[in-house]
Structure formats: structure tokens, C-alpha cells
Amino acid sequence: MAECAHDTGRRIEVSTAAPRKGLDDYYPTTGLLHCFAHAEVPITFGSDAHRACDICWNIREAQAHAYDCGYRTFGIPHLTGEWESTPLA
């Protein structure tokens, strides 16, 4: 799956929804996120927010999690359709 995502130019969204809803891991799960990182599949972040108070919920922790999985950058989309690569701190 990770190789296919890389080869077809896909991007992975790390979602904070699962921990916000009381689940133990992010989506994609830690093991799968390691595979995506190893395959050099770019990532972005989302919160699957349906309420304003959930927008960017726990985003810094999700970014730290992605860093721990091997990522050093993430993408920010622009209205033009272009993506800006931003370092994970």
C-alpha cells in the first residue's frame, strides 16, 4: 500500500479524530505510518472536525507522532492546488 501510494503520487492524512474519540492510535496507525514514511509518502494533517472546537485538536501531538514515525516535513495545501512543504519541529 505504501509503495503504491508513493508510486501514484498520493499523500497521507494523519488524522487526530481517533485519539479525540478515545481510541489508542492515530489513523493511519503507527505501524502503517512508519511504512508510509519509509516509502517517502508525503503527509498532511487533519482533524475530521465537525465542530469548530475540534479544528486542529491535538495537532502538535500528531505532528510529534509523525516525527517519531520518521517524517521531517508535512504538506500544507494552497487554494491554487499547490502544496507547501513545512518542517516538523
Side-chain angles (χ1 to χ4, degrees):
M1 180 184 345
E3 289 176 17
C4 181
H6 175 270
D7 293 348
T8 57
R10 303 295 184 220
R11 185 173 308 274
I12 299 303
E13 178 187 85
V14 177
S15 176
T16 63
R20 187 178 74 242
K21 295 177 180 181
L23 301 176
D24 292 336
D25 206 348
Y26 291 92
Y27 181 80
T29 61
T30 300
L32 190 52
L33 194 57
H34 277 286
C35 292
F36 285 125
H38 181 72
E40 299 180 354
V41 177
I43 61 168
T44 190
F45 293 93
S47 54
D48 193 28
H50 295 262
R51 303 177 309 163
C53 64
D54 292 333
I55 295 172
C56 289
W57 183 91
N58 224 22
I59 196 73
R60 295 288 184 208
E61 290 81 355
Q63 290 173 340
H65 171 68
Y67 190 92
D68 290 345
C69 288
Y71 280 95
R72 297 300 176 258
T73 62
F74 68 99
I76 298 174
H78 290 277
L79 292 175
T80 61
E82 295 180 19
W83 287 84
E84 176 184 347
S85 183
T86 305
L88 283 168

